[in-house]
Amino acid sequence: MELLFLALLVFLMALALGSGFPVAFALPGSAIVTVAVAALCGYVATGNPDAYFSHGGPWQWLSAGVTNLRGVYWEVERDTLIAIPLFIFMGIMLQRSKIAEDLLVTMAQLFGPIPGGLGISVVFVGALLAATTGIVGATVVAMGLISLPAMLRNNYSKSLATGTIAASGTLGQIIPPSIVLIILADQLASAVDQAGTARKALHKAATGELSMPSSFGVVSTSAGEMFLGAFIPGLLLVAIYMLFILIYALINPKVAPAVHGGTFDKAFFAKLALALFPPLGLIFLVLGSILAGVATVNQAGAIGAVGAIMMAGYRLKDGSKDAYAPVILGLASLIGILAVLMIFQPNVKAIHTTQDALGVFLGVVATIGLIIAIGWSSWRAFKIENTLQEVMIETAKTTSLVFIILLGAAMLTAAFRAFGGEELVRDFLNGLPGGFWMKFTIVMAVIFILGFFLDFIEIAVVVVPIVAPILLADPSANITAVWLGVMIGLNIQTSFLTPPFGFALFYLRGVAPPIVKTLDMYKGVIAFISLQLIALVIVGFYPQLVNYLPNRASLTSETAPPPRNPRLDYCVDKYIHDQFVTKGAAINSAIAEARQLNLDYLPDRLKTGLEQSFEAAEEAPVLMAQAWEADDRINAAVVDYMPVQERVRRIQADIREEDEEIDDLKITIGRMRSDDQAEARAKLEARVADLEADRERLAAEIPADWKETYATFKALLKEETILSGKFRRAAGDGYKPVAEIVATLQDNAAYADLQADLMQIQSNLATADAADLVASIEDLSSRASEVEGASDISSGLSRVRRSLRNETPDFEKATEDMTELVADYEAQLDWRNQAEVNLLPTLERYEATIRGTLGIREQRRFDNEQALFVAACQSDHRDVSHYF
């Protein structure tokens, strides 16, 4: 019966959408009606309204959608959706203030003399508008009104002209900032949690181990990472569009002839700069602040909204003498704020000098100037053509539509899960032959087909929550959420072009002249849909195009994970291995030179530690080589092992499903004790017997030698894990003692500076007051704690201080402890001075040589070379299914 109501749910949704019923009400309406009908039928047929739900009841599922959306939107740590109205406002403001119109006209004149130049200019402007607005409707309408007549006037093919405009207008869906990327990031954040839980359960079921290594965890994403990940694929799509138009125009000049006209004089280039640089500046502020890690997506959205108001402030007063006054004031104020931050450290609570007060004063003046500039521009937008009010109304309408659809989709997804739809989809996908890539291909094909009938928002919020956890949980491809999100975003983008419901086609049809037929538009978009699919295939084969920038930004930021992070182990070891191959001779030479040093005058602890570190350093490359040999043996064995493992794991998954159903049926049978339930109980017992027989049949399909095969392969995995662990320990043991002694000797000057105060305290013990002595000792102890290798001095001073802090100060004990402390200090100073001359230069060279290999995990963060290597290494997908 659950399948019947699941079919009813899909039918009602398709009927409502196909009849033109508003999407915002079709999604929750079909969910509410189906849940209500299922509850009513359950109550009438069995007296239990929960009877026809796979689990839970009607009230639970009706409230689940609202609860889920509220938890996402009002949760403090997940405020991603706040960026949506900000970017919508920015896009509509730029479109209403005719910034886009200026850009199109100017770029068309610039590219016109090139074959296909008008088309290339449309793509170029579409990319710029995508990076500043992300609003498809506004972009397509603007370019349709301005560019289409010019292209037709210059004898462009109708299909090529309309296809170029429609496709270029959709670039806002993949080039950040993009609303669809924000929504996908939000949906994928929840999917990652579910996928992580599923993968842990899979690892436990396969290996029997209670915990899964964190390096096998599902990699999450955020809106900022989605923007970074989509940046290169977006540029790739722009390049493919331009290349197609250029080649098509060269092959068949009649469809896209070059346009000659206009002069490229100073006036033109001034106009070009005025049209091009402000949008580029806004792109730099919005995307640059995200890429550089200066601002979050929400903060970047606010920057974009303010920037759009500032640009509208001068464009709406075009031709007026004071048109640029607000933006000039704003730029001057920003420069002033940056200068204050660079020269001073403005902090109202930390004003101690005249310079501090001056920095705060200048900062306040510059901030007031910026506020005045923003207010001035806003007032202009409010008074001129009522622009600000209309933009805010449109923003409110569009934002409300997005959030109502999100709410409706959350309710629809909850109803889909209520009738076991999610389990049905998971079982279908997991049952497909061909592993992850077959599942992924089927999902992408379904999304592409749905794009013919549904908008991008419906696909993103209905389909993604169902299929994303299944794809992300699969360890065979071990894909990242950002790659999956960008791939889905590229696929969803085609929904704007695919007939019959391609929204870009509707937008363009509304502004196209009657001479352009709808059939011309359909013909025109076919080529660009094919180009989008080509881009999809390229990004699918080269995940580095998506993953590299987010990885690079993460590993080079101030909050970068340390090299010791377990998630980075594989790539860090790969970097060390490559360094051993290329610089092994230099490392061995440095070790040999260090071993020749005379360490006899060092304290026993330091001498023994250094000698052991040299031994560990010599052993580490050998262990590393053995670990990689073990990895090679695993890769060789995987070829024969994986087909058997995949077959067995599938059988075991089927057995677990049988066991779950058997357990549920036995519970139900145990509750059926009355005589009138005997017949029903007998049927259930027969069903249990059939399931148990089926379970036995499945168990018999597992190869007889599976346990032996698994044990042999697991031994290989264990060997590699042990060798890798030994190498990492040897590397740490080989580096840390050297780093500590180098840091100690480099602090010799600070250590010597303690001598005078130590002697002063020792001489004052006979005459000074105990309280004064304690104050002096505490001050010296604080200084000693900042000196590398002076912990013994701090401990000795603490003993002296305790003797003086008693109710009756024990000067005799304090003097004895102080005498011993001074003797220890002088002895340490002696060997420090000798070591600084005889050991430090060689040890510094040695430490610098092994820092990037044996000592890489002891560093606080990667250097630039290491970060870029690890970012590139992590950008590819790595199959880890043989560990499951």
Side-chain angles (χ1 to χ4, degrees), residues 327-608:
V327 74
I328 291 173
L329 175 60
L331 289 174
S333 300
L334 278 175
I335 293 171
I337 291 172
L338 291 174
V340 168
L341 292 174
M342 291 174 64
I343 298 171
F344 305 95
Q345 291 184 339
N347 187 341
V348 176
K349 296 181 179 180
I351 297 178
H352 301 298
T353 65
T354 305
Q355 187 178 10
D356 295 336
L358 178 62
V360 171
F361 173 74
L362 293 176
V364 169
V365 170
T367 303
I368 291 174
L370 181 61
I371 292 172
I372 291 173
I374 295 171
W376 193 350
S377 298
S378 300
W379 179 252
R380 283 184 174 181
F382 177 72
K383 295 298 288 183
I384 299 174
E385 300 178 5
N386 203 25
T387 302
L388 183 61
Q389 182 177 348
E390 291 180 0
V391 169
M392 294 185 72
I393 289 172
E394 287 299 315
T395 301
K397 288 180 180 178
T398 307
T399 304
S400 300
L401 174 65
V402 170
F403 282 108
I404 291 174
I405 291 176
L406 285 173
L407 173 61
M411 296 185 69
L412 181 72
T413 304
F416 189 79
R417 288 171 175 157
F419 301 113
E422 189 173 33
E423 289 84 354
L424 191 66
V425 172
R426 184 175 61 246
D427 292 343
F428 168 73
L429 291 177
N430 288 334
L432 290 171
F436 169 84
W437 293 107
M438 177 59 75
K439 289 188 282 186
F440 178 74
T441 303
I442 293 295
V443 167
M444 297 302 282
V446 169
I447 291 175
F448 178 74
I449 293 170
L450 288 176
F452 282 77
F453 310 102
L454 298 179
D455 190 8
F456 75 95
I457 298 180
E458 294 96 272
I459 297 174
V461 298
V462 174
V463 179
V464 173
I466 296 170
V467 300
I470 301 169
L471 297 176
L472 290 172
D474 194 322
S476 62
N478 198 27
I479 60 172
T480 61
V482 65
W483 179 82
L484 179 62
V486 171
M487 289 293 289
I488 292 174
L490 277 170
N491 198 347
I492 287 176
Q493 187 182 347
T494 62
S495 68
F496 280 93
L497 299 178
T498 46
F501 300 121
F503 285 89
L505 302 177
F506 289 148
Y507 297 140
L508 188 57
R509 175 71 277 173
V511 297
I515 193 174
V516 178
K517 307 300 182 185
T518 303
L519 186 60
D520 294 328
M521 297 183 183
Y522 285 175
K523 288 180 179 177
V525 298
I526 291 174
F528 289 93
I529 292 172
S530 302
L531 294 176
Q532 287 181 337
L533 294 177
I534 290 172
L536 193 67
V537 172
I538 293 173
V539 176
F541 275 107
Y542 298 98
Q544 298 90 340
L545 295 173
V546 175
N547 292 327
Y548 179 72
L549 275 185
N551 288 340
R552 176 176 179 145
S554 171
L555 293 171
T556 57
S557 69
E558 289 299 322
T559 57
R564 187 182 288 274
N565 191 311
R567 281 184 175 273
L568 309 175
D569 275 346
Y570 177 80
C571 290
V572 170
D573 285 347
K574 198 171 188 307
Y575 174 81
I576 296 172
H577 179 262
D578 287 0
Q579 292 296 300
F580 279 156
V581 172
T582 57
K583 300 178 182 178
I587 294 172
N588 292 332
S589 176
I591 295 173
E593 183 184 11
R595 298 214 69 162
Q596 299 301 316
L597 293 171
N598 180 13
L599 309 177
D600 290 340
Y601 51 85
L602 293 182
D604 290 341
R605 178 182 64 83
L606 293 178
K607 178 183 176 182
T608 302

Side-chain angles (χ1 to χ4, degrees), residues 125-208:
V125 173
L128 287 181
L129 294 180
T132 52
T133 68
I135 309 297
V136 170
T139 304
V140 172
V141 169
M143 291 196 297
L145 287 171
I146 302 162
S147 297
L148 185 56
M151 297 174 83
L152 296 177
R153 231 181 4 255
N154 288 280
N155 298 318
Y156 263 65
S157 161
K158 297 173 188 175
S159 59
L160 179 62
T162 53
T164 300
I165 292 172
S168 301
T170 67
L171 289 171
Q173 295 307 293
I174 195 63
I175 295 179
S178 162
I179 294 172
V180 68
L181 293 177
I182 296 173
I183 294 174
L184 283 171
D186 180 72
Q187 299 296 323
L188 287 169
S190 300
V192 166
D193 294 338
Q194 299 175 44
T197 302
R199 188 176 288 190
K200 289 176 183 176
L202 180 63
H203 186 267
K204 182 181 178 181
T207 65

